[in-house]
Amino acid sequence: MTIINVKANYAKVIDLILFTVATLAAAVLVMGICRPSMFGNLNVVAGVSFTVSLALLIYLHLNPDSVRARQSDTILKIARETLACFQEGLNVETAQKVCRLLLPATCAQAVAITDREYILGYVGLEEAPSTPGTPIRTKATHATIEDGRIRALHTPEEIGFPTKARNLRAGIIVPLRRGDAIIGTLKFYYRHANDITETQLTLAEGLGELMSTQIAAVELEQQTKLATTMELKALQSQINPHFLFNTINTIASLVRTDPDRARMLLREFAIFYRRTLESSDDLVELMKEIDQTMRYFTFEVARFGEDRLVMDVDVEPGLEDLMVPAFMIQPLVENAVRHAMPQEGQLRISVEAYSEGDDVYIAVSDNGIGMDAEQQRKLLSPSASKGLGIAMKNISERLTGYYGIESRMQVDSTPGDGTCVRMYLKDALLDE
């Protein structure tokens, strides 16, 4: 990178010197034409200097090595600036910043960034019909999202702008990837089809690959930090003083009335905390996660009684060894016990795991008190900062961190009729 930068800077200095010489020579020539007697032979020297400087400038700008040096310098500069933007993730704000950085670096008249459904950023001509948040309308963009091919558009019809927008008549669409998944596009628009040169195509492709690499690198870094943070939060939430106090009290009360059960619970309690404290893996087998959840549930049943709590588990055969994020199911069951318990009757909790193709669904449902639409909205709000909202937010973020942005968490609930939290793990079986 240092060598490329030195070459590019050296080329800029040479360009500046030649341009200065050509400008001075041209000035002398103009004055010599006006007053030939004053300059004499200096006109000849000025003419030769102007011709040589101009010829060298043309050569340097057409020389492939010079072109590559300038492109490399441009790419490196953009790389430094865009990486800082992507630290905040790919969203409307960062997409707009990146578009502003990319526009001056190309011959394009407009630059856009999309995800799979919407325009995230747009800078340049014809901004009005392409504001961030507008659905993608170009068929070619949808086609690139589907097949991952770079496309050059040479007519306004291919671009898909409104008929009144005539400033942009050509474009290049480059896919943005995260691994094998296509997560959006990078688009460059031009006034005329002949503006799309081989240089512009190569530059667009290089910028697309650069952005894809940066997005993947930043998300990997965030995923690593998130996994560590989530693990610590999960451990802290499980080592809850109230849960610890209540469980010990329950075991103590059974020592005289049911010593065998007290002994069993004490053994399970030791295993539960040992597994909790020993678990440092980001991913664990699905059945290991469910076993730990069932162990936790055993203590709650001992506390509240079997007439108040029951849990059913149904895991599709073959999914037992599926690797899933740790502490993904137990917090949902714990929150069902804490928040969904009716005043009377039995709370029934169900944990279900099943597959559809390469996708996996894990659902935790209950027949408890449920919640209204406003409570659900707050629960899934990105700004959730306490209680169940933190757990839901953490699990949701880890889902997208491990399985991609198409993975998600969905909450369905009706007051008085229970709640179902369903997690969708996109392509979870693809690498199994």
Side-chain angles (χ1 to χ4, degrees), residues 306-331:
E306 294 180 0
D307 60 328
R308 293 282 283 150
L309 274 177
V310 65
M311 183 169 74
D312 302 316
V313 176
D314 183 13
V315 177
E316 178 183 306
L319 295 183
E320 296 88 350
D321 296 330
L322 174 68
M323 302 301 289
V324 299
F327 306 110
M328 187 172 70
I329 299 174
Q330 189 268 330

mmCIF file with all atom_site columns, all heavy atoms in Angstrom, residues 306-331:
data_model
loop_
_atom_site.group_PDB
_atom_site.id
_atom_site.type_symbol
_atom_site.label_atom_id
_atom_site.label_alt_id
_atom_site.label_comp_id
_atom_site.label_asym_id
_atom_site.label_entity_id
_atom_site.label_seq_id
_atom_site.pdbx_PDB_ins_code
_atom_site.Cartn_x
_atom_site.Cartn_y
_atom_site.Cartn_z
_atom_site.occupancy
_atom_site.B_iso_or_equiv
_atom_site.pdbx_formal_charge
_atom_site.auth_seq_id
_atom_site.auth_comp_id
_atom_site.auth_asym_id
_atom_site.auth_atom_id
_atom_site.pdbx_PDB_model_num
ATOM 1   N N   . GLU A 1 306 ? -46.098 -28.464 40.342 1.00 0.00 ? 306 GLU A N   1
ATOM 2   C CA  . GLU A 1 306 ? -46.455 -29.004 39.029 1.00 0.00 ? 306 GLU A CA  1
ATOM 3   C C   . GLU A 1 306 ? -47.850 -28.597 38.598 1.00 0.00 ? 306 GLU A C   1
ATOM 4   O O   . GLU A 1 306 ? -48.161 -28.618 37.393 1.00 0.00 ? 306 GLU A O   1
ATOM 5   C CB  . GLU A 1 306 ? -46.348 -30.532 39.058 1.00 0.00 ? 306 GLU A CB  1
ATOM 6   C CG  . GLU A 1 306 ? -44.913 -31.023 39.259 1.00 0.00 ? 306 GLU A CG  1
ATOM 7   C CD  . GLU A 1 306 ? -44.833 -32.536 39.273 1.00 0.00 ? 306 GLU A CD  1
ATOM 8   O OE1 . GLU A 1 306 ? -45.909 -33.187 39.126 1.00 0.00 ? 306 GLU A OE1 1
ATOM 9   O OE2 . GLU A 1 306 ? -43.726 -33.078 39.427 1.00 0.00 ? 306 GLU A OE2 1
ATOM 10  N N   . ASP A 1 307 ? -48.699 -28.226 39.565 1.00 0.00 ? 307 ASP A N   1
ATOM 11  C CA  . ASP A 1 307 ? -50.034 -27.779 39.201 1.00 0.00 ? 307 ASP A CA  1
ATOM 12  C C   . ASP A 1 307 ? -50.032 -26.369 38.628 1.00 0.00 ? 307 ASP A C   1
ATOM 13  O O   . ASP A 1 307 ? -51.030 -25.930 38.055 1.00 0.00 ? 307 ASP A O   1
ATOM 14  C CB  . ASP A 1 307 ? -50.955 -27.836 40.423 1.00 0.00 ? 307 ASP A CB  1
ATOM 15  C CG  . ASP A 1 307 ? -50.453 -26.954 41.562 1.00 0.00 ? 307 ASP A CG  1
ATOM 16  O OD1 . ASP A 1 307 ? -49.211 -26.813 41.679 1.00 0.00 ? 307 ASP A OD1 1
ATOM 17  O OD2 . ASP A 1 307 ? -51.281 -26.418 42.310 1.00 0.00 ? 307 ASP A OD2 1
ATOM 18  N N   . ARG A 1 308 ? -48.869 -25.661 38.756 1.00 0.00 ? 308 ARG A N   1
ATOM 19  C CA  . ARG A 1 308 ? -48.775 -24.293 38.249 1.00 0.00 ? 308 ARG A CA  1
ATOM 20  C C   . ARG A 1 308 ? -47.871 -24.160 37.020 1.00 0.00 ? 308 ARG A C   1
ATOM 21  O O   . ARG A 1 308 ? -48.002 -23.222 36.256 1.00 0.00 ? 308 ARG A O   1
ATOM 22  C CB  . ARG A 1 308 ? -48.243 -23.369 39.361 1.00 0.00 ? 308 ARG A CB  1
ATOM 23  C CG  . ARG A 1 308 ? -49.193 -23.203 40.523 1.00 0.00 ? 308 ARG A CG  1
ATOM 24  C CD  . ARG A 1 308 ? -50.304 -22.237 40.177 1.00 0.00 ? 308 ARG A CD  1
ATOM 25  N NE  . ARG A 1 308 ? -49.831 -20.844 40.239 1.00 0.00 ? 308 ARG A NE  1
ATOM 26  C CZ  . ARG A 1 308 ? -50.310 -19.867 39.509 1.00 0.00 ? 308 ARG A CZ  1
ATOM 27  N NH1 . ARG A 1 308 ? -51.247 -20.126 38.598 1.00 0.00 ? 308 ARG A NH1 1
ATOM 28  N NH2 . ARG A 1 308 ? -49.858 -18.638 39.638 1.00 0.00 ? 308 ARG A NH2 1
ATOM 29  N N   . LEU A 1 309 ? -46.945 -25.106 36.856 1.00 0.00 ? 309 LEU A N   1
ATOM 30  C CA  . LEU A 1 309 ? -45.976 -24.998 35.766 1.00 0.00 ? 309 LEU A CA  1
ATOM 31  C C   . LEU A 1 309 ? -45.755 -26.347 35.084 1.00 0.00 ? 309 LEU A C   1
ATOM 32  O O   . LEU A 1 309 ? -45.605 -27.374 35.754 1.00 0.00 ? 309 LEU A O   1
ATOM 33  C CB  . LEU A 1 309 ? -44.616 -24.504 36.286 1.00 0.00 ? 309 LEU A CB  1
ATOM 34  C CG  . LEU A 1 309 ? -44.372 -23.000 36.418 1.00 0.00 ? 309 LEU A CG  1
ATOM 35  C CD1 . LEU A 1 309 ? -42.982 -22.772 37.012 1.00 0.00 ? 309 LEU A CD1 1
ATOM 36  C CD2 . LEU A 1 309 ? -44.477 -22.314 35.068 1.00 0.00 ? 309 LEU A CD2 1
ATOM 37  N N   . VAL A 1 310 ? -45.723 -26.318 33.751 1.00 0.00 ? 310 VAL A N   1
ATOM 38  C CA  . VAL A 1 310 ? -45.376 -27.515 32.991 1.00 0.00 ? 310 VAL A CA  1
ATOM 39  C C   . VAL A 1 310 ? -44.738 -27.063 31.679 1.00 0.00 ? 310 VAL A C   1
ATOM 40  O O   . VAL A 1 310 ? -45.073 -25.999 31.147 1.00 0.00 ? 310 VAL A O   1
ATOM 41  C CB  . VAL A 1 310 ? -46.626 -28.388 32.718 1.00 0.00 ? 310 VAL A CB  1
ATOM 42  C CG1 . VAL A 1 310 ? -47.612 -27.672 31.813 1.00 0.00 ? 310 VAL A CG1 1
ATOM 43  C CG2 . VAL A 1 310 ? -46.207 -29.731 32.115 1.00 0.00 ? 310 VAL A CG2 1
ATOM 44  N N   . MET A 1 311 ? -43.790 -27.876 31.167 1.00 0.00 ? 311 MET A N   1
ATOM 45  C CA  . MET A 1 311 ? -43.131 -27.512 29.910 1.00 0.00 ? 311 MET A CA  1
ATOM 46  C C   . MET A 1 311 ? -43.057 -28.725 28.997 1.00 0.00 ? 311 MET A C   1
ATOM 47  O O   . MET A 1 311 ? -42.708 -29.836 29.434 1.00 0.00 ? 311 MET A O   1
ATOM 48  C CB  . MET A 1 311 ? -41.719 -26.967 30.159 1.00 0.00 ? 311 MET A CB  1
ATOM 49  C CG  . MET A 1 311 ? -41.016 -26.512 28.877 1.00 0.00 ? 311 MET A CG  1
ATOM 50  S SD  . MET A 1 311 ? -39.485 -25.576 29.181 1.00 0.00 ? 311 MET A SD  1
ATOM 51  C CE  . MET A 1 311 ? -38.391 -26.891 29.695 1.00 0.00 ? 311 MET A CE  1
ATOM 52  N N   . ASP A 1 312 ? -43.400 -28.526 27.721 1.00 0.00 ? 312 ASP A N   1
ATOM 53  C CA  . ASP A 1 312 ? -43.301 -29.556 26.697 1.00 0.00 ? 312 ASP A CA  1
ATOM 54  C C   . ASP A 1 312 ? -42.172 -29.197 25.734 1.00 0.00 ? 312 ASP A C   1
ATOM 55  O O   . ASP A 1 312 ? -41.995 -28.030 25.383 1.00 0.00 ? 312 ASP A O   1
ATOM 56  C CB  . ASP A 1 312 ? -44.607 -29.673 25.903 1.00 0.00 ? 312 ASP A CB  1
ATOM 57  C CG  . ASP A 1 312 ? -45.792 -29.973 26.801 1.00 0.00 ? 312 ASP A CG  1
ATOM 58  O OD1 . ASP A 1 312 ? -45.638 -30.836 27.688 1.00 0.00 ? 312 ASP A OD1 1
ATOM 59  O OD2 . ASP A 1 312 ? -46.851 -29.342 26.625 1.00 0.00 ? 312 ASP A OD2 1
ATOM 60  N N   . VAL A 1 313 ? -41.420 -30.207 25.324 1.00 0.00 ? 313 VAL A N   1
ATOM 61  C CA  . VAL A 1 313 ? -40.320 -30.003 24.377 1.00 0.00 ? 313 VAL A CA  1
ATOM 62  C C   . VAL A 1 313 ? -40.510 -30.928 23.189 1.00 0.00 ? 313 VAL A C   1
ATOM 63  O O   . VAL A 1 313 ? -40.733 -32.128 23.352 1.00 0.00 ? 313 VAL A O   1
ATOM 64  C CB  . VAL A 1 313 ? -38.942 -30.263 25.034 1.00 0.00 ? 313 VAL A CB  1
ATOM 65  C CG1 . VAL A 1 313 ? -37.825 -30.146 23.990 1.00 0.00 ? 313 VAL A CG1 1
ATOM 66  C CG2 . VAL A 1 313 ? -38.697 -29.285 26.172 1.00 0.00 ? 313 VAL A CG2 1
ATOM 67  N N   . ASP A 1 314 ? -40.441 -30.363 21.984 1.00 0.00 ? 314 ASP A N   1
ATOM 68  C CA  . ASP A 1 314 ? -40.604 -31.149 20.760 1.00 0.00 ? 314 ASP A CA  1
ATOM 69  C C   . ASP A 1 314 ? -39.524 -30.716 19.758 1.00 0.00 ? 314 ASP A C   1
ATOM 70  O O   . ASP A 1 314 ? -39.618 -29.647 19.154 1.00 0.00 ? 314 ASP A O   1
ATOM 71  C CB  . ASP A 1 314 ? -41.999 -30.939 20.164 1.00 0.00 ? 314 ASP A CB  1
ATOM 72  C CG  . ASP A 1 314 ? -42.235 -31.790 18.916 1.00 0.00 ? 314 ASP A CG  1
ATOM 73  O OD1 . ASP A 1 314 ? -41.425 -32.702 18.658 1.00 0.00 ? 314 ASP A OD1 1
ATOM 74  O OD2 . ASP A 1 314 ? -43.224 -31.538 18.199 1.00 0.00 ? 314 ASP A OD2 1
ATOM 75  N N   . VAL A 1 315 ? -38.491 -31.550 19.617 1.00 0.00 ? 315 VAL A N   1
ATOM 76  C CA  . VAL A 1 315 ? -37.382 -31.246 18.708 1.00 0.00 ? 315 VAL A CA  1
ATOM 77  C C   . VAL A 1 315 ? -37.398 -32.245 17.558 1.00 0.00 ? 315 VAL A C   1
ATOM 78  O O   . VAL A 1 315 ? -37.399 -33.461 17.772 1.00 0.00 ? 315 VAL A O   1
ATOM 79  C CB  . VAL A 1 315 ? -36.020 -31.317 19.441 1.00 0.00 ? 315 VAL A CB  1
ATOM 80  C CG1 . VAL A 1 315 ? -34.863 -31.068 18.461 1.00 0.00 ? 315 VAL A CG1 1
ATOM 81  C CG2 . VAL A 1 315 ? -35.973 -30.300 20.576 1.00 0.00 ? 315 VAL A CG2 1
ATOM 82  N N   . GLU A 1 316 ? -37.431 -31.729 16.354 1.00 0.00 ? 316 GLU A N   1
ATOM 83  C CA  . GLU A 1 316 ? -37.443 -32.584 15.164 1.00 0.00 ? 316 GLU A CA  1
ATOM 84  C C   . GLU A 1 316 ? -36.191 -33.466 15.143 1.00 0.00 ? 316 GLU A C   1
ATOM 85  O O   . GLU A 1 316 ? -35.073 -32.979 15.348 1.00 0.00 ? 316 GLU A O   1
ATOM 86  C CB  . GLU A 1 316 ? -37.482 -31.703 13.916 1.00 0.00 ? 316 GLU A CB  1
ATOM 87  C CG  . GLU A 1 316 ? -37.445 -32.472 12.601 1.00 0.00 ? 316 GLU A CG  1
ATOM 88  C CD  . GLU A 1 316 ? -37.410 -31.527 11.418 1.00 0.00 ? 316 GLU A CD  1
ATOM 89  O OE1 . GLU A 1 316 ? -38.295 -30.650 11.323 1.00 0.00 ? 316 GLU A OE1 1
ATOM 90  O OE2 . GLU A 1 316 ? -36.483 -31.656 10.583 1.00 0.00 ? 316 GLU A OE2 1
ATOM 91  N N   . PRO A 1 317 ? -36.343 -34.773 14.917 1.00 0.00 ? 317 PRO A N   1
ATOM 92  C CA  . PRO A 1 317 ? -35.182 -35.663 14.840 1.00 0.00 ? 317 PRO A CA  1
ATOM 93  C C   . PRO A 1 317 ? -34.172 -35.159 13.810 1.00 0.00 ? 317 PRO A C   1
ATOM 94  O O   . PRO A 1 317 ? -34.527 -34.756 12.710 1.00 0.00 ? 317 PRO A O   1
ATOM 95  C CB  . PRO A 1 317 ? -35.790 -37.005 14.402 1.00 0.00 ? 317 PRO A CB  1
ATOM 96  C CG  . PRO A 1 317 ? -37.210 -36.942 14.879 1.00 0.00 ? 317 PRO A CG  1
ATOM 97  C CD  . PRO A 1 317 ? -37.612 -35.506 14.740 1.00 0.00 ? 317 PRO A CD  1
ATOM 98  N N   . GLY A 1 318 ? -32.906 -35.162 14.203 1.00 0.00 ? 318 GLY A N   1
ATOM 99  C CA  . GLY A 1 318 ? -31.850 -34.677 13.319 1.00 0.00 ? 318 GLY A CA  1
ATOM 100 C C   . GLY A 1 318 ? -31.374 -33.273 13.661 1.00 0.00 ? 318 GLY A C   1
ATOM 101 O O   . GLY A 1 318 ? -30.313 -32.849 13.200 1.00 0.00 ? 318 GLY A O   1
ATOM 102 N N   . LEU A 1 319 ? -32.147 -32.550 14.485 1.00 0.00 ? 319 LEU A N   1
ATOM 103 C CA  . LEU A 1 319 ? -31.760 -31.187 14.853 1.00 0.00 ? 319 LEU A CA  1
ATOM 104 C C   . LEU A 1 319 ? -31.037 -31.126 16.196 1.00 0.00 ? 319 LEU A C   1
ATOM 105 O O   . LEU A 1 319 ? -30.590 -30.058 16.609 1.00 0.00 ? 319 LEU A O   1
ATOM 106 C CB  . LEU A 1 319 ? -32.988 -30.273 14.912 1.00 0.00 ? 319 LEU A CB  1
ATOM 107 C CG  . LEU A 1 319 ? -33.746 -30.018 13.611 1.00 0.00 ? 319 LEU A CG  1
ATOM 108 C CD1 . LEU A 1 319 ? -34.891 -29.037 13.859 1.00 0.00 ? 319 LEU A CD1 1
ATOM 109 C CD2 . LEU A 1 319 ? -32.817 -29.477 12.532 1.00 0.00 ? 319 LEU A CD2 1
ATOM 110 N N   . GLU A 1 320 ? -30.910 -32.273 16.851 1.00 0.00 ? 320 GLU A N   1
ATOM 111 C CA  . GLU A 1 320 ? -30.345 -32.268 18.199 1.00 0.00 ? 320 GLU A CA  1
ATOM 112 C C   . GLU A 1 320 ? -28.925 -31.683 18.245 1.00 0.00 ? 320 GLU A C   1
ATOM 113 O O   . GLU A 1 320 ? -28.544 -31.003 19.192 1.00 0.00 ? 320 GLU A O   1
ATOM 114 C CB  . GLU A 1 320 ? -30.317 -33.680 18.780 1.00 0.00 ? 320 GLU A CB  1
ATOM 115 C CG  . GLU A 1 320 ? -31.693 -34.292 18.992 1.00 0.00 ? 320 GLU A CG  1
ATOM 116 C CD  . GLU A 1 320 ? -32.195 -35.031 17.742 1.00 0.00 ? 320 GLU A CD  1
ATOM 117 O OE1 . GLU A 1 320 ? -31.547 -34.884 16.675 1.00 0.00 ? 320 GLU A OE1 1
ATOM 118 O OE2 . GLU A 1 320 ? -33.190 -35.759 17.847 1.00 0.00 ? 320 GLU A OE2 1
ATOM 119 N N   . ASP A 1 321 ? -28.136 -31.965 17.204 1.00 0.00 ? 321 ASP A N   1
ATOM 120 C CA  . ASP A 1 321 ? -26.739 -31.521 17.199 1.00 0.00 ? 321 ASP A CA  1
ATOM 121 C C   . ASP A 1 321 ? -26.532 -30.188 16.475 1.00 0.00 ? 321 ASP A C   1
ATOM 122 O O   . ASP A 1 321 ? -25.390 -29.753 16.285 1.00 0.00 ? 321 ASP A O   1
ATOM 123 C CB  . ASP A 1 321 ? -25.854 -32.589 16.542 1.00 0.00 ? 321 ASP A CB  1
ATOM 124 C CG  . ASP A 1 321 ? -25.845 -33.891 17.329 1.00 0.00 ? 321 ASP A CG  1
ATOM 125 O OD1 . ASP A 1 321 ? -25.994 -33.822 18.563 1.00 0.00 ? 321 ASP A OD1 1
ATOM 126 O OD2 . ASP A 1 321 ? -25.697 -34.966 16.714 1.00 0.00 ? 321 ASP A OD2 1
ATOM 127 N N   . LEU A 1 322 ? -27.609 -29.554 16.054 1.00 0.00 ? 322 LEU A N   1
ATOM 128 C CA  . LEU A 1 322 ? -27.495 -28.263 15.371 1.00 0.00 ? 322 LEU A CA  1
ATOM 129 C C   . LEU A 1 322 ? -26.847 -27.244 16.300 1.00 0.00 ? 322 LEU A C   1
ATOM 130 O O   . LEU A 1 322 ? -27.252 -27.085 17.445 1.00 0.00 ? 322 LEU A O   1
ATOM 131 C CB  . LEU A 1 322 ? -28.888 -27.768 14.965 1.00 0.00 ? 322 LEU A CB  1
ATOM 132 C CG  . LEU A 1 322 ? -28.949 -26.350 14.356 1.00 0.00 ? 322 LEU A CG  1
ATOM 133 C CD1 . LEU A 1 322 ? -28.268 -26.324 12.999 1.00 0.00 ? 322 LEU A CD1 1
ATOM 134 C CD2 . LEU A 1 322 ? -30.395 -25.878 14.248 1.00 0.00 ? 322 LEU A CD2 1
ATOM 135 N N   . MET A 1 323 ? -25.826 -26.552 15.798 1.00 0.00 ? 323 MET A N   1
ATOM 136 C CA  . MET A 1 323 ? -25.145 -25.545 16.606 1.00 0.00 ? 323 MET A CA  1
ATOM 137 C C   . MET A 1 323 ? -25.938 -24.232 16.581 1.00 0.00 ? 323 MET A C   1
ATOM 138 O O   . MET A 1 323 ? -26.247 -23.710 15.504 1.00 0.00 ? 323 MET A O   1
ATOM 139 C CB  . MET A 1 323 ? -23.728 -25.314 16.077 1.00 0.00 ? 323 MET A CB  1
ATOM 140 C CG  . MET A 1 323 ? -22.868 -26.568 16.046 1.00 0.00 ? 323 MET A CG  1
ATOM 141 S SD  . MET A 1 323 ? -22.664 -27.337 17.681 1.00 0.00 ? 323 MET A SD  1
ATOM 142 C CE  . MET A 1 323 ? -21.580 -26.135 18.459 1.00 0.00 ? 323 MET A CE  1
ATOM 143 N N   . VAL A 1 324 ? -26.273 -23.743 17.756 1.00 0.00 ? 324 VAL A N   1
ATOM 144 C CA  . VAL A 1 324 ? -27.055 -22.511 17.884 1.00 0.00 ? 324 VAL A CA  1
ATOM 145 C C   . VAL A 1 324 ? -26.359 -21.598 18.894 1.00 0.00 ? 324 VAL A C   1
ATOM 146 O O   . VAL A 1 324 ? -25.549 -22.054 19.707 1.00 0.00 ? 324 VAL A O   1
ATOM 147 C CB  . VAL A 1 324 ? -28.499 -22.795 18.341 1.00 0.00 ? 324 VAL A CB  1
ATOM 148 C CG1 . VAL A 1 324 ? -29.225 -23.679 17.338 1.00 0.00 ? 324 VAL A CG1 1
ATOM 149 C CG2 . VAL A 1 324 ? -28.504 -23.440 19.726 1.00 0.00 ? 324 VAL A CG2 1
ATOM 150 N N   . PRO A 1 325 ? -26.653 -20.298 18.877 1.00 0.00 ? 325 PRO A N   1
ATOM 151 C CA  . PRO A 1 325 ? -26.072 -19.391 19.881 1.00 0.00 ? 325 PRO A CA  1
ATOM 152 C C   . PRO A 1 325 ? -26.474 -19.802 21.293 1.00 0.00 ? 325 PRO A C   1
ATOM 153 O O   . PRO A 1 325 ? -27.625 -20.145 21.551 1.00 0.00 ? 325 PRO A O   1
ATOM 154 C CB  . PRO A 1 325 ? -26.668 -18.025 19.512 1.00 0.00 ? 325 PRO A CB  1
ATOM 155 C CG  . PRO A 1 325 ? -27.008 -18.143 18.064 1.00 0.00 ? 325 PRO A CG  1
ATOM 156 C CD  . PRO A 1 325 ? -27.442 -19.562 17.858 1.00 0.00 ? 325 PRO A CD  1
ATOM 157 N N   . ALA A 1 326 ? -25.515 -19.776 22.192 1.00 0.00 ? 326 ALA A N   1
ATOM 158 C CA  . ALA A 1 326 ? -25.789 -20.133 23.580 1.00 0.00 ? 326 ALA A CA  1
ATOM 159 C C   . ALA A 1 326 ? -26.739 -19.123 24.217 1.00 0.00 ? 326 ALA A C   1
ATOM 160 O O   . ALA A 1 326 ? -26.811 -17.965 23.810 1.00 0.00 ? 326 ALA A O   1
ATOM 161 C CB  . ALA A 1 326 ? -24.482 -20.198 24.365 1.00 0.00 ? 326 ALA A CB  1
ATOM 162 N N   . PHE A 1 327 ? -27.478 -19.582 25.241 1.00 0.00 ? 327 PHE A N   1
ATOM 163 C CA  . PHE A 1 327 ? -28.403 -18.737 26.002 1.00 0.00 ? 327 PHE A CA  1
ATOM 164 C C   . PHE A 1 327 ? -29.446 -18.078 25.102 1.00 0.00 ? 327 PHE A C   1
ATOM 165 O O   . PHE A 1 327 ? -29.738 -16.895 25.238 1.00 0.00 ? 327 PHE A O   1
ATOM 166 C CB  . PHE A 1 327 ? -27.635 -17.663 26.793 1.00 0.00 ? 327 PHE A CB  1
ATOM 167 C CG  . PHE A 1 327 ? -26.558 -18.210 27.677 1.00 0.00 ? 327 PHE A CG  1
ATOM 168 C CD1 . PHE A 1 327 ? -25.227 -17.999 27.373 1.00 0.00 ? 327 PHE A CD1 1
ATOM 169 C CD2 . PHE A 1 327 ? -26.876 -18.955 28.791 1.00 0.00 ? 327 PHE A CD2 1
ATOM 170 C CE1 . PHE A 1 327 ? -24.228 -18.517 28.178 1.00 0.00 ? 327 PHE A CE1 1
ATOM 171 C CE2 . PHE A 1 327 ? -25.887 -19.478 29.604 1.00 0.00 ? 327 PHE A CE2 1
ATOM 172 C CZ  . PHE A 1 327 ? -24.557 -19.258 29.292 1.00 0.00 ? 327 PHE A CZ  1
ATOM 173 N N   . MET A 1 328 ? -29.994 -18.851 24.179 1.00 0.00 ? 328 MET A N   1
ATOM 174 C CA  . MET A 1 328 ? -30.990 -18.315 23.268 1.00 0.00 ? 328 MET A CA  1
ATOM 175 C C   . MET A 1 328 ? -32.403 -18.721 23.680 1.00 0.00 ? 328 MET A C   1
ATOM 176 O O   . MET A 1 328 ? -33.357 -17.977 23.473 1.00 0.00 ? 328 MET A O   1
ATOM 177 C CB  . MET A 1 328 ? -30.706 -18.801 21.843 1.00 0.00 ? 328 MET A CB  1
ATOM 178 C CG  . MET A 1 328 ? -31.589 -18.175 20.780 1.00 0.00 ? 328 MET A CG  1
ATOM 179 S SD  . MET A 1 328 ? -31.063 -18.598 19.101 1.00 0.00 ? 328 MET A SD  1
ATOM 180 C CE  . MET A 1 328 ? -31.489 -20.342 19.053 1.00 0.00 ? 328 MET A CE  1
ATOM 181 N N   . ILE A 1 329 ? -32.561 -19.887 24.274 1.00 0.00 ? 329 ILE A N   1
ATOM 182 C CA  . ILE A 1 329 ? -33.877 -20.412 24.639 1.00 0.00 ? 329 ILE A CA  1
ATOM 183 C C   . ILE A 1 329 ? -34.184 -20.173 26.112 1.00 0.00 ? 329 ILE A C   1
ATOM 184 O O   . ILE A 1 329 ? -35.288 -19.755 26.470 1.00 0.00 ? 329 ILE A O   1
ATOM 185 C CB  . ILE A 1 329 ? -33.977 -21.912 24.313 1.00 0.00 ? 329 ILE A CB  1
ATOM 186 C CG1 . ILE A 1 329 ? -33.785 -22.128 22.799 1.00 0.00 ? 329 ILE A CG1 1
ATOM 187 C CG2 . ILE A 1 329 ? -35.312 -22.483 24.768 1.00 0.00 ? 329 ILE A CG2 1
ATOM 188 C CD1 . ILE A 1 329 ? -33.732 -23.581 22.390 1.00 0.00 ? 329 ILE A CD1 1
ATOM 189 N N   . GLN A 1 330 ? -33.220 -20.418 26.982 1.00 0.00 ? 330 GLN A N   1
ATOM 190 C CA  . GLN A 1 330 ? -33.457 -20.313 28.418 1.00 0.00 ? 330 GLN A CA  1
ATOM 191 C C   . GLN A 1 330 ? -33.969 -18.942 28.858 1.00 0.00 ? 330 GLN A C   1
ATOM 192 O O   . GLN A 1 330 ? -34.914 -18.863 29.656 1.00 0.00 ? 330 GLN A O   1
ATOM 193 C CB  . GLN A 1 330 ? -32.179 -20.683 29.184 1.00 0.00 ? 330 GLN A CB  1
ATOM 194 C CG  . GLN A 1 330 ? -32.389 -20.806 30.699 1.00 0.00 ? 330 GLN A CG  1
ATOM 195 C CD  . GLN A 1 330 ? -32.118 -19.496 31.400 1.00 0.00 ? 330 GLN A CD  1
ATOM 196 O OE1 . GLN A 1 330 ? -31.296 -18.697 30.941 1.00 0.00 ? 330 GLN A OE1 1
ATOM 197 N NE2 . GLN A 1 330 ? -32.806 -19.265 32.509 1.00 0.00 ? 330 GLN A NE2 1
ATOM 198 N N   . PRO A 1 331 ? -33.431 -17.816 28.334 1.00 0.00 ? 331 PRO A N   1
ATOM 199 C CA  . PRO A 1 331 ? -33.980 -16.514 28.745 1.00 0.00 ? 331 PRO A CA  1
ATOM 200 C C   . PRO A 1 331 ? -35.451 -16.333 28.379 1.00 0.00 ? 331 PRO A C   1
ATOM 201 O O   . PRO A 1 331 ? -36.194 -15.688 29.114 1.00 0.00 ? 331 PRO A O   1
ATOM 202 C CB  . PRO A 1 331 ? -33.097 -15.508 27.984 1.00 0.00 ? 331 PRO A CB  1
ATOM 203 C CG  . PRO A 1 331 ? -31.824 -16.235 27.728 1.00 0.00 ? 331 PRO A CG  1
ATOM 204 C CD  . PRO A 1 331 ? -32.231 -17.657 27.480 1.00 0.00 ? 331 PRO A CD  1
#
